[in-house]
């Protein structure tokens, strides 16, 4: 089996695959005006997704994260999960969701083969949650998380984007929440995109301060698995849950990059904030193109840069995070 290694010595066992650009939320940091339909979007079909994952699995990919937009908007999501789970070599299938459909659908996803779940929950205060997301669904999401914790997932994680003046004072509440729950909380530093410049200037808070506070309070950094996401994860003997911090503006953040992305329209993105996409869709129309697909993917790693340009204010062609499952 071939493996994906770039010119900087980084290997890539982890693929983030967007299933749709559509989202039913209006999160202030991502899609404050909601999802805007542009023409008649044609997202990857079930058959195309199957061929795509087979191609990446042939190159050593073992972990697939299904993202959006909001992936639960796809009615064929259970079939997609099952198709990915059936690909030889794929050992972990994760899903990132806003959680609004968890109470009704999460059991079906688990039975289809989903092994890990990430749920967006930017606040433990229902009023703040409404203010940030534009939807009054806090009760449904938190109920869904509790349900998911009973289904035997390898991991259940919660994503919270750090926002100055909106939720950056909630660490005490989160600590109470984590004390007795086997869940990993991910604090994500707000990233600048092509469309959120003004919002970023008002609400960006560096994650480094949070990391210093955790260490001062006795939280200990855990070893990072080869196929782990970008979070640095901390544990504390007094808490069942863990805390992860994703700090894209930290020095050497990109040195540990181990993931590639494919958009809902079939474009390979070597970096979330890259300046170009590479269309794979023409090679997803027939099983006969498998070897050509594998070769095409493998040759693109030479174009992957050592790091993003966020420190210089360069956001590439990413208008908002929902467009690429950020």
């Amino acid at each position: 089996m071939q493996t994906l290694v770039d010119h900087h010595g980084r290997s890539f066992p982890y693929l983030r695959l967007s299933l749709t650009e559509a989202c039913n939320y209006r999160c202030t940091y991502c899609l404050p005006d909601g999802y805007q339909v542009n023409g008649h979007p044609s997202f990857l079909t079930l058959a195309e997704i199957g061929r795509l994952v087979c191609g990446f699995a042939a190159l050593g990919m073992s972990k697939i994260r299904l993202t959006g937009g909001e992936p639960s908007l796809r009615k064929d999501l259970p079939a997609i999960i099952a198709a990915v789970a059936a690909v030889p070599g794929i050992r972990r299938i994760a899903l990132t969701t806003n959680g609004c459909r968890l109470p009704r659908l999460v059991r079906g996803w688990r039975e289809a083969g989903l092994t890990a779940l990430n749920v967006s929950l930017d606040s433990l205060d229902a009023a703040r949650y409404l203010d940030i997301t534009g939807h009054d669904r806090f009760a449904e999401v938190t109920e869904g998380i509790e349900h998911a914790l009973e289904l035997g997932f390898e991991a259940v994680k919660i994503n919270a984007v750090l926002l100055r003046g909106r939720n950056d004072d909630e660490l005490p509440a989160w600590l109470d929440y984590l004390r007795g729950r086997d869940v990993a909380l991910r604090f994500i530093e707000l990233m600048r995109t092509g469309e959120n410049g003004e919002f970023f200037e008002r609400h960006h808070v560096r994650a480094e301060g949070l990391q210093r506070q955790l260490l001062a309070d006795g939280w200990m950094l855990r070893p990072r698995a080869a196929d782990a996401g970008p979070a640095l994860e901390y544990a504390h003997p007094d808490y069942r849950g863990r805390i992860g911090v994703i700090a894209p503006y930290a020095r050497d953040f990109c040195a540990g990059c181990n993931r590639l992305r494919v958009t809902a329209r079939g474009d390979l993105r070597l970096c979330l904030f890259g300046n170009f996409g590479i269309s794979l869709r023409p090679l997803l129309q027939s099983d006969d193109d498998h070897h050509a697909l594998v070769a095409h993917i493998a040759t693109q790693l030479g174009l992957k840069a050592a790091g993003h340009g966020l420190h210089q204010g360069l956001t590439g062609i990413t208008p908002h995070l929902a467009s690429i499952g950020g």
Side-chain angles (χ1 to χ4, degrees):
M1 179 184 293
Q2 302 179 57
T3 57
L4 287 172
V5 180
D6 71 3
H7 292 324
H8 309 286
R10 299 173 296 193
S11 59
F12 299 89
Y14 176 10
L15 176 68
R16 295 180 63 100
L17 172 59
S18 174
L19 302 182
T20 178
E21 296 168 5
C23 187
N24 55 337
Y25 271 32
R26 300 190 302 274
C27 294
T28 52
Y29 53 82
C30 185
L31 288 173
D33 299 321
Y35 172 66
Q36 306 298 315
V37 178
N38 185 10
H40 298 282
S42 175
F43 303 132
L44 292 175
T45 65
L46 175 60
E48 290 172 326
I49 290 168
R51 296 184 184 111
L52 178 81
V53 173
C54 284
F56 277 98
L59 289 163
M61 286 280 182
S62 58
K63 176 181 177 180
I64 307 293
R65 176 171 296 282
L66 304 174
T67 70
E70 172 47 44
S72 70
L73 295 182
R74 288 203 47 158
K75 295 180 180 179
D76 59 349
L77 179 56
I80 292 172
I81 294 170
V84 173
V87 175
I90 300 301
R91 297 192 297 271
R92 300 194 70 193
I93 307 168
L95 177 79
T96 297
T97 174
N98 61 30
C100 69
R101 299 186 173 192
L102 280 181
R104 292 186 292 111
L105 301 179
V106 67
R107 181 176 293 277
W109 302 342
R110 181 73 178 114
E111 292 172 350
L114 193 70
T115 65
L117 185 70
N118 278 47
V119 183
S120 296
L121 185 65
D122 294 308
S123 176
L124 282 175
D125 179 273
R128 285 182 170 185
Y129 178 86
L130 170 60
D131 183 55
I132 292 170
T133 66
H135 281 266
D136 187 15
R137 292 181 170 176
F138 178 82
E140 298 158 70
V141 176
T142 51
E143 176 192 346
I145 292 171
E146 297 299 325
H147 187 31
L149 288 171
E150 301 172 353
L151 295 178
F153 284 105
E154 292 179 10
V156 175
K157 300 176 183 178
I158 296 173
N159 294 340
V161 177
L162 280 173
L163 300 171
R164 183 185 302 278
R166 295 286 184 91
N167 65 3
D168 57 333
D169 61 348
E170 291 194 34
L171 183 58
W174 279 114
L175 292 177
D176 287 341
Y177 184 88
L178 294 173
R179 190 176 295 278
R181 290 179 174 87
D182 185 16
V183 65
L185 170 65
R186 295 289 190 263
F187 285 117
I188 304 172
E189 185 175 349
L190 180 66
M191 292 172 277
R192 185 166 189 163
T193 65
E195 295 182 354
N196 77 348
E198 183 180 347
F199 185 90
F200 177 85
E201 293 300 326
R202 290 200 311 270
H203 297 292
H204 177 241
V205 54
R206 292 295 294 265
E208 294 171 346
L210 173 61
Q211 290 172 290
R212 288 193 296 269
Q213 182 177 349
L214 291 174
L215 290 172
D217 291 343
W219 290 78
M220 295 167 287
L221 186 63
R222 304 179 73 193
R224 184 170 180 261
D227 66 347
L232 295 177
E233 189 171 86
Y234 298 82
H236 193 290
D238 294 339
Y239 295 87
R240 192 177 179 197
R242 285 85 54 209
I243 295 177
V245 179
I246 299 176
Y249 291 87
R251 186 172 59 180
D252 297 330
F253 175 78
C254 295
C257 183
N258 63 353
R259 58 208 172 276
L260 301 176
R261 290 174 166 83
V262 173
T263 71
R265 301 173 192 254
D267 289 347
L268 172 64
R269 295 286 295 273
L270 301 174
C271 175
L272 175 60
F273 296 102
N275 292 310
F276 60 91
I278 301 152
S279 180
L280 301 179
R281 201 163 198 177
L283 296 174
L284 301 178
Q285 305 312 304
S286 169
D287 293 342
D288 295 337
D289 290 325
H290 172 77
H291 294 295
L293 172 66
V294 171
H296 188 54
I297 295 170
T299 60
Q300 303 308 313
L301 266 291
L303 302 175
K304 186 168 174 64
H308 58 58
L310 288 178
H311 295 93
Q312 294 79 41
L314 304 177
T315 61
I317 58 173
T318 299
H320 47 74
L321 297 178
S323 67
I324 192 173

